[in-house]
Amino acid sequence: MRVLFVDDEPNVLAGIRRMLRPRRHDWDMRFVTSGPEALEALAAEPADLVVSDIRMPGMSGVQLLKEVRARWPATLRMVLSGESDRDALLRSVGPTHQYLYKPCRPDALIAALERMDAMLDLLQGAQIRAFAGTFDSVPTPSSAYAEAMAVLDDPEGTPARLAAVIGGDAGMSTAVLRVANSAYVGLSTPVASVQRAITLLGMDMVRALLTVAGVLRSGSDHPAVGRVLAGGRDAVERVRPFLVDVDPEVAQQTELAAMLRDVGALVLLGEAPEDYAPLLDLPAEERAREERARYGASSAVVGGYLLGVWGLPAPVMVAVARQTEPPLEDGTPQALLARALAPREAA
Amino acid sequence: MTANGALFGRLTDADDERVELLRSVIDCMPSGVVVVDMDGDLVLYNAAARNALASRFVPLEVCWPDREVFDIEGTRRLEPSELPLARALQGEICDDVELTVRTKANKTAMLRVNARPMLQIARGTLWAVAVFQDIGEEIDAARHQRELERQLAQAQKMESLGQLASGIAHEINTPTQYISDNVRFLSDAFEAMARYQGEVAAVVADGAVEAEAAERLDGAREDAELEFYAEEVPAAIRQSLEGLDRVASIVRAMKEYAHPCDTKEPTDLDHVVKTTVAMSKNEYKYVADLELELAGDLPKVACVAGEISQVLLNLVVNAAHAIAEAGRERGVIRIRTSAVDDGVQLEVTDNGVGVPEHLSERIFDPFFTTKAVGKGTGQGLALAFDVVVRKHGGRLDVRSTQGEGSTFTVFVPRNAREAPAA
Ligand SMILES: Nc1ncnc2c1ncn2[C@@H]1O[C@H](COP(=O)(O)OP(=O)(O)OP(=O)(O)O)[C@@H](O)[C@H]1O
Ligand SMILES: [Mg+2]
């Protein structure tokens, strides 16, 4: 993995460089102290991942990452910022895959880099990666969005009621979970529950987030989007009987994976609804084959990749990416989901 | 009204007309007028004083010590000898003495009193006259003004604190980042060197080195105190990392404090206690040790964490002041949390001066303070009361033994409902 670190404080870069020295054989790391320098370095040789500070003189990190998204969409974009207030976070939500907060424990930084590295392995192929790199969000039907806003406007609205609305929609769910899992919240255990995410962020933050997250976008109101979302809710129902005696955390991750199983398809639909919609009528395997032929990857893998780079819990990412493959390790969300989905789709 | 009788009894009949004139003049005055003889017995009063007497309260406490008379702050009961008429009877001129009178019905009035000795040459004795005005409204207006100013100042303070906090957070977070990366690096580097040194030692032990060289290496090893470093360096690194975690959590707490989110969320009060304590260390560390007795498994309660944190901070600051005032050795502040029936209870106990019984209600009043100017504004407990009782529908109580200490108890119900507006 080729990583470019950008920070106006040379000591920060030196600290990271020393700390990551043991990984020098895995990762090719470069360090620059400003946005323009970063663009120059990328022009000379692209990177797989850019890790940037936000507050820098001249070009801010947000500006830099927007520029990177436009010119090198395949490049993953991460923030490592000393600014911890919500405005800074909201400003960078669009062009940023993951938001880390200074001081970030060395272990946490290494884990985040490893996760990005793994995602690059998952989604091979520059073209599909560039394609996926332009997605900031998953389309949400405007009716669901309006319903969520109505709960937020209602003085009696509670996190539980809001979670009932958001939880049934992949776009808003991922938006909320992305931020709740970012270092902004500073939790050590990943969040797989929409309600918990809402509680952690607070209703005000959720409102602000939904307005900037870009979930209302091209494709939002295409009828196929509604169908795919209904399919997700259906998958949740199908997986529930398998979760009776399962560890609650695993159960939660499995349900989330079921709901988000078609995030990749939703994103592809958002880009080109008319082209993609007919694929939805194909049986699962045939559809995956056709997707691979067209895009170089199945929509399941694209979805897993997005959930991974957005920092959602790893088991959820794996379950989505490998939903149609044979169960891997028993008792994981991947195995549970694959098993729940298999019989009916095979029949 | 025997008092007027007394007046006429004592004056000579010759001056009936002048008495009438005098009476109508003083009856026209809007201020209360009271005259007493040298024994403090009432000789004369005017209509304003009589009205006050008949309607709301007994103004005559100005001279009689059998009712409660306090200083204008309402905090200190005045001695009988301190009352203006008593002083005037001692020949003193008392100008603009402000005081609070409390009647048995627990009504209070605030008065401004001027008292003068009146030499009665004919009788060879000293009387005294007091003229007083009700200044309740004046004081209310002044307090209102002060309250507005305070709120404004507070709002400005919070705003600049917020800006300051995010600026400071950035300034602190950046160096903390590279300090922790560097410490991690030093830890790796030290391990590598220790491994190398272990290898050297093993080679020496195997006798693979000439005796003379082995001796030199052993000597150098002792000179360099390598055993000591092998033990201490990893500990130093571990403790530095712990310290960095602490810094990070304080900065995070500061951020929470400066950007209070104002919706009620299910909250673990143990967590609130921990962050508040981390932040307020400066307030108590010179006078007291802090002991935490956290329940550890509290049910969450719906509250605005930032506000409860503010309440706790006020209680801790008060406790520290009370301990400092007691002036004994180092004190102890104990914070205890516990789950109770339908909510969570949070107690702050100190072994400071304690709250005198007769003040235990009043300490929650806005502006009630016993502290020197600049040290207390009397806002802490009023604000705490507002947050806990009105905003969260909880309770705030105090138990105290004067001279031994106090316990303030905050109860937050599990499902906070705003108390109906009073
Ligand atoms: N722990 C305590 N022990 C003894 N007396 C206390 C304690 N806490 C409060 N008091 C009394 O209650 C009064 C009012 O407290 P409050 O916190 O409202 O105001 P303050 O501390 O005087 O000023 P501020 O909090 O505005 O700086 C104090 O002046 C003090 O006399
Ligand atoms: Mg106080």
Side-chain angles (χ1 to χ4, degrees), chain B residues 318 322 350 354-355 363 368-371 376-381 406 408:
Chain B
N318 282 349
D350 66 67
V355 183
I363 54 174
F368 178 83
T369 181
T370 56
K371 295 172 191 173
T377 60
Q379 282 302 291
L381 289 176
S406 326
F408 284 81

Side-chain angles (χ1 to χ4, degrees), chain A residues 1-292:
Chain A
M1 180 169 65
R2 296 165 299 171
V3 193
L4 178 68
F5 291 91
V6 191
D7 200 306
D8 61 324
E9 170 63 68
N11 283 353
V12 168
L13 296 176
I16 292 176
R17 183 172 51 73
R18 290 190 197 108
M19 191 268 289
L20 290 179
R21 197 181 135 82
R23 310 304 296 265
R24 68 187 180 284
H25 302 302
D26 310 328
W27 298 330
D28 165 13
M29 297 175 269
R30 288 182 288 165
F31 302 86
V32 295
T33 54
S34 74
E37 266 180 86
L39 295 175
E40 240 171 75
L42 290 171
E45 200 208 323
D48 300 308
L49 169 64
V50 172
V51 182
S52 176
D53 186 22
I54 291 280
R55 198 194 285 193
M56 295 187 287
M59 179 185 272
S60 80
V62 177
Q63 278 173 294
L64 169 66
L65 293 182
K66 282 188 176 154
E67 187 75 20
V68 172
R69 178 179 58 186
R71 290 172 59 185
W72 299 276
T75 299
L76 293 171
R77 304 170 295 267
M78 212 154 100
V79 159
L80 175 58
S81 170
E83 267 178 297
S84 55
D85 57 272
R86 53 180 254 184
D87 290 347
L89 178 84
L90 288 170
R91 261 181 283 122
S92 58
V93 144
T96 307
H97 287 115
Q98 252 179 71
Y99 194 98
L100 298 185
Y101 162 59
K102 281 180 200 159
C104 173
R105 301 174 56 107
D107 302 340
L109 180 59
I110 292 174
L113 294 173
E114 279 173 347
R115 160 72 76 93
M116 292 305 209
D117 203 0
M119 290 305 100
L120 295 172
D121 285 344
L122 177 67
L123 190 64
Q124 311 250 351
Q127 218 173 335
I128 180 66
R129 223 184 261 164
F131 190 47
T134 55
F135 306 137
D136 299 338
S137 59
V138 178
T140 286
S142 50
S143 57
Y145 184 81
E147 214 183 315
M149 283 297 157
V151 178
L152 283 164
D153 286 336
D154 183 352
E156 312 266 281
T158 59
R161 271 181 57 204
L162 187 60
V165 177
I166 291 184
D169 175 73
M172 293 188 288
S173 293
T174 43
V176 175
L177 286 165
R178 264 171 86 176
V179 177
N181 279 297
S182 76
Y184 167 76
V185 177
L187 291 177
S188 43
T189 51
V191 185
S193 142
V194 169
Q195 182 166 343
R196 173 125 187 278
I198 292 171
T199 310
L200 285 169
L201 297 176
M203 302 281 270
D204 287 352
M205 178 67 178
V206 172
R207 172 199 294 278
L209 181 62
L210 290 183
T211 40
V212 301
V215 292
L216 283 187
R217 38 170 283 180
S218 67
S220 269
D221 286 326
H222 194 279
V225 167
R227 257 176 62 206
V228 170
L229 285 172
R233 290 189 288 267
D234 179 51
V236 174
E237 293 307 318
R238 278 163 68 186
V239 81
R240 281 220 173 108
F242 292 79
L243 303 178
V244 207
D245 289 324
V246 167
D247 169 76
E249 194 182 346
V250 173
Q252 213 170 48
Q253 291 173 345
T254 312
E255 280 193 26
L256 181 65
M259 185 61 222
L260 300 183
R261 63 184 282 226
D262 268 330
V263 156
L266 285 169
V267 166
L268 293 168
L269 258 181
E271 289 313 294
E274 301 316 326
D275 288 349
Y276 187 79
L279 297 194
L280 290 169
D281 297 325
L282 300 176
E285 273 183 30
E286 214 170 302
R287 177 176 133 198
R289 208 176 312 125
E290 181 61 27
E291 286 166 347
R292 273 194 292 272

Side-chain angles (χ1 to χ4, degrees), chain B residues 55-70:
Chain B
S55 61
R56 287 180 34 223
F57 57 89
V58 185
L60 307 178
E61 278 84 2
V62 174
C63 48
W64 271 273
D66 65 334
R67 299 283 164 76
E68 295 193 302
V69 182
F70 293 83

